Amino acid sequence: RMIAPLLATLVATAPGPAMPSDAHAVVAKMIARNPSLQSYKARVHVDVKMLSFPYLAPKLDGTSYYKRPDTYEVVFDRMPGYAKGFQKIFDDVGDPGAWEKDQNIAVDGTSMLWGHPMIVLRLTKKIHSDILDHTIAYVDPNSYALVEMEWFYTSGGKITMTQTYQRNGSSYLLSAQHADIDIPHIRAVADASYNQYQTNVAAASGEKNP
């Protein structure tokens, strides 16, 4: 009768993974996850719903390209002019390998997210931006997967994107994303799904042929 409560106590008090204090080490582990994955391409479908005028609901389709260590982009088949801002968000969230090129990155402690402690990274532009104030990234210390990213704008606006993953062979790849967009004059939500993965293929960003 005492075993179950004892096990519950042990689980509740068991130490979690060590939280690193060096941002470069965190980013390196994020890049190193999925060690057998050299490249991939996948189809992306995004449903956007504007919660403010003009209340549009565009559907976007495109292809996601990745090539180790730091080449990542999403190329949409067709991008309405009013939706072009989404392109930068998708590229930023999918490419931790490129963050250090133009961002100062620091570990900003830990935070509970979805009931689990997450490593918090704070990113600020190396060259001052009048638009973007800073970005916060939440990293799972067990898998070093990026699970959420928040962009804070000088206008007071904010965009939050969460991510979930699916297993593909020995790798864990993006399955879905949800974005909440709340910036001056624009309020919207966007949901992206990823499928038709081709892994370790010759084609990657800049090489769009199969």
Side-chain angles (χ1 to χ4, degrees), residues 133-146:
D133 185 75
H134 68 280
T135 306
I136 298 294
Y138 297 88
V139 181
D140 185 339
N142 293 295
S143 63
Y144 283 88
L146 176 65

Side-chain angles (χ1 to χ4, degrees), residues 165-193:
Y165 296 83
Q166 61 185 322
R167 183 159 189 165
N168 187 302
S170 60
S171 300
Y172 287 89
L173 305 177
L174 266 179
S175 172
Q177 295 167 315
H178 175 79
D180 289 295
I181 300 153
D182 188 0
I183 57 179
H185 313 299
I186 299 176
R187 290 184 59 242
V189 293
D191 287 283
S193 59

Side-chain angles (χ1 to χ4, degrees), residues 17-35 66 68-69 96-97 99-100 119 121 139-146:
M19 296 293 184
S21 58
D22 179 63
H24 177 76
V26 174
V27 173
K29 289 186 177 183
M30 295 173 73
I31 297 170
R33 67 189 302 263
N34 299 326
Y66 168 78
R68 189 179 290 276
W99 292 349
E100 291 179 308
I119 302 167
L121 298 179
V139 181
D140 185 339
N142 293 295
S143 63
Y144 283 88
L146 176 65

Side-chain angles (χ1 to χ4, degrees), residues 83-141:
K84 286 187 177 178
F86 291 125
Q87 181 81 50
K88 178 63 174 171
I89 297 172
F90 281 98
D91 289 348
D92 279 355
V93 79
D95 197 5
W99 292 349
E100 291 179 308
K101 293 179 180 179
D102 68 344
Q103 305 264 9
N104 294 309
I105 309 175
V107 174
D108 196 17
T110 61
S111 180
M112 295 298 292
L113 190 66
W114 309 336
H116 302 284
M118 298 290 171
I119 302 167
V120 181
L121 298 179
R122 184 184 178 92
L123 292 73
T124 54
K125 290 286 188 180
K126 291 181 178 178
I127 299 176
H128 175 73
S129 170
D130 292 329
I131 299 173
L132 182 65
D133 185 75
H134 68 280
T135 306
I136 298 294
Y138 297 88
V139 181
D140 185 339

